[in-house]
Amino acid sequence: MIPPSFEYHAPGSLADAIGLLKQHGDEAKILSGGHSLVPLMKMRFAAPAHIVDINDIPGLDYLKEEGGHLRIGALVREADLEASAVIAAKFPLILDATKLIADPQVRNRATIAGNLAHGDPANDHPAVMLALDAELVIEGSGGERVVPITKFFVDTFETALASDEVLKEVRIPIPPAKSGGAYFKLERRVGDFAIVGVAAQVSLDGAGNIQSAGIGLTNVGPMPIKAEAAEASLAGKAPNDATLQQAGQLAADASKPVTDNRAPEDYKRAMVKELTIRALRRAVSRAEGGN
Amino acid sequence: MSTVNVTVTVNGVERSAEVEPRTLLVYFLRDHLRLTGTHIGCDTSNCGACTVMLDGKIIKSCTLFAVQANGKSVKTVEGLAENGKLHPIQEGFKEEHGLQCGFCTPGMMLSALELLQKNPHPSEDEIRWGISGNLCRCTGYQNIVKAIQYAADKMAKGEA
Ligand SMILES: Cc1cc2nc3c(=O)[nH]c(=O)nc-3n(C[C@H](O)[C@H](O)[C@H](O)COP(=O)(O)OP(=O)(O)OC[C@H]3O[C@@H](n4cnc5c(N)ncnc54)[C@H](O)[C@@H]3O)c2cc1C
Ligand code: FES
Ligand code: FES
């Protein structure tokens, strides 16, 4: 399949990229990993007249801990996350999710920023970032702004990004001691998009009770979902079966799945409950120092 | 339609062609450079038949524009053998019957190459994860795994 024609730009700086986006408005699209955009272009779901390839912009591939945050630059690929020592040590939730995204070839190209910017509720990072309370650093012709992840997803394939803005950095608070996370993804075959995915992150207090919890849901609604009632139900509680069961039920209640070629709606809702319980159980076990 | 000049070092040799920006790398390799070892299977980023290495990392060449490879280096299946001698991975596929129709094989071998470069002694499980982006409709994967194990052993002996 041959994508529609376009004019190609490979700016050497973020400022030049933003200039091109401003100049061409809705006619332009950013190209990063290309693993959502190029397939869409081949199928004629997207036909941008201008492609602004940001892959050659230096200084956007950093992954570092700074000022109590993990800062992930726009050109960090899934494979970089997979290989990162900080991710392995402090963000098992991200590592779980990354390993289950597509396959090695795709992970060598696909970026976490593109995964979020695409606004696809079937993608895995949105739920992960909702569970981790990430912030997104966005730069456009009007300057820089920081948007909390809860304000980023606007509709299916629609985000808070304006046409002249670049998602420059994903910023995640470093979890306190005694924290853990896990991602559970039900898929038809390895590397496929989720039938249902659940991201869970917990922090325990000195007594081993849950201090705070984050829960994000993948592919069970028109947008990625933060299961807020389930999160709130866990605060201050001992992480026993009754507590986790209740959170699982609240997460299932928050989901809005539809029947499709992956699975019927009631099955998906039941799986949200079960995967929430499993993800929380593993998150708690990791917070306690286990696996 | 406007075209751009794209120069890529393919298997160590600098190659150039005038192409439209929308030309995908796999068509650049096959149609413009006549290197038809790299196959097109699904054309939808799923099957891995088009796998090549770009600056040492495996990618799906049906999902990258040729112009994005400008100034970079690409390795294809044609670059595996050296001086008429099969690469240990090629030898493994031959010895262990790692192919039937052979359509998936070029991509499969490039994925095996990255895997063995990163992890010279992979377990069976690691091999299966390493080739999880490559579909084979013939072999059932069993002999592909054996072929990669053969190559790993052979390459380890070469090191020693
Ligand atoms: C076979 C296959 C399987 C896959 N399986 C999964 C899976 O299991 N889970 C999953 O989560 N994803 C999956 N994906 C999607 C993959 O992770 C995509 O790469 C990802 O969704 C988009 O990231 P990208 O860097 O490739 O972005 P691109 O495709 O380059 O861009 C996607 C969109 O975001 C915009 N954009 C990109 N970067 C920026 C930026 N920095 N600022 C502003 N806008 C930007 C683009 O303009 C475009 O509209 C799969 C893809 C394939 C081909
Ligand atoms: S042809 Fe490229 S992945 Fe199938
Ligand atoms: S040998 Fe036929 S597809 Fe793999």
Side-chain angles (χ1 to χ4, degrees), chain A:
Chain A
M1 283 180 282
I2 315 291
S5 297
F6 56 84
E7 201 175 318
Y8 176 79
H9 311 268
S13 72
L14 199 56
D16 287 351
I18 291 166
L20 285 160
L21 292 171
K22 173 117 188 124
Q23 185 186 342
H24 299 294
D26 286 343
E27 300 265 272
K29 273 264 175 214
I30 294 173
L31 174 68
S32 54
H35 279 73
S36 290
L37 184 58
V38 176
L40 287 180
M41 289 172 67
K42 287 187 182 183
M43 291 182 286
R44 297 299 193 273
F45 289 125
H50 296 269
I51 285 284
V52 179
D53 181 355
I54 62 171
N55 284 284
D56 289 333
I57 300 179
L60 287 179
D61 59 354
Y62 56 87
L63 176 70
K64 58 187 176 194
E65 252 185 284
E66 208 175 81
H69 286 88
L70 178 70
R71 300 175 54 192
I72 308 178
L75 288 178
V76 169
R77 322 266 169 188
E78 301 292 349
D80 301 325
L81 297 174
E82 229 179 327
S84 152
V86 195
I87 298 283
K90 298 194 176 165
F91 294 95
L93 166 54
I94 299 180
L95 187 59
D96 280 359
T98 294
K99 282 180 168 168
L100 294 174
I101 289 177
D103 53 55
Q105 293 93 316
V106 175
R107 290 197 294 274
N108 275 343
R109 296 297 304 170
T111 65
I112 181 172
N115 194 291
L116 297 169
H118 193 46
D120 186 344
N123 276 1
D124 295 298
H125 282 301
V128 171
M129 295 304 139
L130 284 165
L132 289 168
D133 286 320
E135 290 174 332
L136 305 177
V137 184
I138 294 171
E139 192 166 316
S141 54
E144 188 182 295
R145 61 192 181 113
V146 179
V147 176
I149 189 79
T150 47
K151 297 259 155 48
F152 185 69
F153 302 106
V154 177
D155 205 343
T156 312
F157 298 117
E158 224 180 290
T159 69
L161 287 165
S163 62
D164 69 340
E165 285 184 320
V166 180
L167 172 50
K168 193 170 85 172
E169 178 180 302
V170 180
R171 202 177 274 177
I172 309 166
I174 302 283
K178 294 194 75 174
S179 296
Y183 191 66
F184 272 69
K185 177 175 175 179
L186 190 64
E187 48 185 10
R188 294 179 300 186
R189 56 176 169 75
V190 67
D192 194 15
F193 289 96
I195 302 168
V196 172
V198 177
Q201 176 74 17
V202 299
S203 297
L204 304 179
D205 63 19
N209 293 327
I210 297 174
Q211 196 160 45
S212 62
I215 300 174
L217 311 178
T218 300
N219 218 5
V220 284
M223 289 195 284
I225 291 168
K226 186 167 172 70
E228 286 174 322
E231 292 175 348
S233 78
L234 292 161
K237 300 251 182 73
N240 56 33
D241 278 354
T243 306
L244 303 194
Q245 287 278 345
Q246 188 197 12
Q249 186 57 51
L250 289 167
D253 294 346
S255 68
K256 303 183 190 85
V258 291
T259 297
D260 61 14
N261 59 5
R262 285 196 166 77
E265 179 220 312
D266 55 343
Y267 172 78
K268 290 186 186 177
R269 197 166 288 134
M271 288 307 103
V272 173
K273 178 174 177 186
E274 183 55 31
L275 295 193
T276 300
I277 295 168
R278 291 185 196 184
L280 282 169
R281 200 175 285 137
R282 185 166 299 165
V284 167
S285 150
R286 285 172 170 170
E288 289 166 344
N291 252 300

Side-chain angles (χ1 to χ4, degrees), chain B residues 31-100:
Chain B
D31 298 351
H32 295 264
L33 305 186
R34 307 304 298 165
L35 288 170
T36 53
T38 304
H39 293 163
I40 303 173
C42 65
D43 205 359
T44 55
S45 323
N46 282 288
C47 73
C50 65
T51 301
V52 300
M53 269 189 177
L54 177 71
D55 282 349
K57 289 181 181 168
I58 49 166
I59 59 141
K60 293 174 177 172
S61 60
C62 74
T63 316
L64 189 100
F65 297 113
V67 54
Q68 293 183 270
N70 202 2
K72 299 190 163 68
S73 69
V74 166
K75 192 180 190 77
T76 69
V77 66
E78 288 93 345
L80 280 180
E82 270 173 25
N83 307 321
K85 197 167 172 300
L86 292 184
H87 187 281
I89 294 174
Q90 293 172 303
E91 204 183 299
F93 274 74
K94 179 167 172 249
E95 292 302 321
E96 299 291 345
H97 304 281
L99 63 149
Q100 289 177 22

